[in-house]
Amino acid sequence: RTINLSFKNPGYDKNPVFSPSGKKIAWLSMVTPKYESDRNRIIEYDLNTEVLRDLTEGFDYSPQQFQYADNGNSIYFIAGINATEQIWKLDLKSNAKEKFKQLTTDVADHTSFCIWQSSKKTHIISSMMSISMPSEVMQIDSKKGSSKQITFTNKELLDQLTLGKVEKRMIKATDGEEILTWVIYPPNFDPSKKYPALLYCQGGPQSTVSQFFSYRWNFQIMAANDYIIVAPNRRGLPSFGEKWNRDISGDWGGQPMKDLLSAIDEVSKEPFVDKERLGAVGASFGGYSVWSI
């Protein structure tokens, strides 16, 4: 017979994974119906007791891919934080707030991973990318969280290029909050010159301006055409907690648009920005944003 294990939840439930013992099953769950950008929770169901529990209660970020450790005592997962995607460890034996540990701290996006254990050692392999690097395979130190690159698929091509510097800025919004903004400079940037600036408006409307290496909206390609690129994580983008993510709902043309303008206004104060040549680009909700502003 077929049993609906998550019938009580009105939102989305997806990507079930069995525990190593086979006695439990966990999945990603969104609690709000018809809201595809809700925070993911990791829900675990005990097949013997038929009890459900939220393993990520109190965790303000949104887990994506996850995997049980071989011993079943912990779960590893990817979640966005401060416009990056990192690997985390959840200690299932702990009830303390410290049960969530951020393993990696790269200024980059870990997009997928796998783990296995041997001789009491945990091995982690991930794919990782950044604004300046297409995806490569990394070996993660499970104790220190450090990342070691083990594939160099694009090295020959990248060695032929001069890439622009990527800078993180925290910019004040009109309501006093801070907007994490990536600024990408042209290759061979000369601060004594004047450059036009492009404001990048993200689509979604709720998808992070993270350290992604895009094959559609590539910041390095834009910067290579002698533009300063301003890419803010306006209101409504994930990885800054659930409230920041929800703040766009019902206010699509309000504070999110003010955030975009705050970012370009602040960067355009720099002497190397040509204030007479400011533009905006974006698709989907980003196109709506360009039209709005």
Side-chain angles (χ1 to χ4, degrees):
R1 65 195 178 109
T2 300
I3 302 173
N4 183 352
L5 301 181
S6 63
F7 70 95
K8 292 183 179 180
N9 181 39
Y12 293 159
D13 295 295
K14 59 184 181 180
N15 300 351
V17 175
F18 277 102
S19 67
S21 68
K23 296 179 180 179
K24 297 177 181 179
I25 185 172
W27 59 82
L28 295 177
S29 177
M30 294 181 177
V31 70
T32 308
K34 300 180 182 180
Y35 179 38
E36 79 284 354
S37 297
D38 199 4
R39 179 176 66 88
N40 275 323
R41 303 169 297 157
I42 300 178
I43 300 297
E44 187 179 64
Y45 179 80
D46 190 308
L47 295 167
N48 293 325
T49 65
E50 299 184 351
V51 172
L52 283 166
R53 65 171 179 153
D54 180 357
L55 300 181
T56 48
E57 185 176 1
F59 186 70
D60 201 26
Y61 303 100
S62 189
Q64 303 300 324
Q65 176 196 349
F66 71 95
Q67 181 183 339
Y68 280 95
D70 290 349
N71 58 18
N73 292 333
S74 56
I75 284 179
Y76 292 80
F77 62 90
I78 289 176
I81 181 170
N82 297 331
T84 63
E85 299 288 332
Q86 306 295 344
I87 299 174
W88 301 70
K89 180 182 179 182
L90 166 58
D91 184 353
L92 297 177
K93 298 299 182 181
S94 172
N95 292 319
K97 190 175 181 179
E98 290 72 26
K99 65 182 180 180
F100 299 103
K101 180 182 180 182
Q102 182 182 337
L103 289 183
T104 59
T105 57
D106 300 286
V107 184
D109 286 359
H110 291 271
T111 57
S112 63
F113 75 97
C114 65
I115 64 168
W116 70 97
Q117 291 170 305
S118 64
S119 303
K120 298 183 179 181
K121 182 178 180 181
T122 300
H123 304 268
I124 307 175
I125 297 293
S126 83
S127 63
M128 190 184 87
M129 64 180 174
S130 73
I131 290 173
S132 303
M133 184 187 77
S135 294
E136 295 286 1
V137 179
M138 315 297 287
Q139 182 177 359
I140 311 301
D141 187 308
S142 60
K143 293 183 179 179
K144 298 178 181 178
S146 56
S147 303
K148 178 184 177 182
Q149 187 173 341
I150 58 176
T151 65
F152 297 87
T153 310
N154 298 289
K155 185 178 186 305
E156 184 177 347
L157 290 173
L158 292 175
D159 284 348
Q160 301 175 42
L161 304 176
T162 300
L163 300 180
K165 174 189 173 185
V166 179
E167 176 183 275
K168 182 177 87 170
R169 290 199 181 194
M170 302 305 295
I171 292 173
K172 284 283 186 184
T174 55
D175 61 354
E177 297 288 344
E178 289 197 318
I179 309 160
L180 191 153
T181 302
W182 302 116
V183 179
I184 301 90
Y185 294 86
N188 304 310
F189 170 72
D190 183 349
S192 67
K193 293 182 178 180
K194 291 277 189 180
Y195 294 89
L198 275 180
L199 172 65
Y200 172 75
C201 303
Q202 177 70 313
Q206 289 163 286
S207 52
T208 320
V209 183
S210 63
Q211 278 283 316
F212 59 77
F213 188 93
S214 175
Y215 294 91
R216 295 177 61 210
W217 294 86
N218 190 285
F219 297 144
Q220 290 289 354
I221 291 290
M222 296 181 196
N225 284 276
D226 271 354
Y227 289 98
I228 304 285
I229 310 303
V230 181
N233 278 274
R234 54 151 174 80
R235 221 61 54 101
L237 300 190
S239 80
F240 302 95
E242 190 169 6
K243 182 182 183 303
W244 186 275
N245 192 35
R246 282 181 177 267
D247 273 353
I248 191 174
S249 297
D251 188 36
W252 299 279
Q255 191 62 50
M257 298 302 111
K258 293 178 183 178
D259 289 351
L260 291 172
L261 290 171
S262 292
I264 189 65
D265 287 349
E266 182 63 27
V267 176
S268 66
K269 292 177 183 177
E270 297 287 356
F272 49 77
V273 173
D274 186 343
K275 298 176 182 60
E276 300 302 315
R277 293 190 295 164
L278 303 178
V281 294
S284 189
F285 184 81
Y288 167 84
S289 301
V290 171
W291 174 82
S292 296
I293 62 178

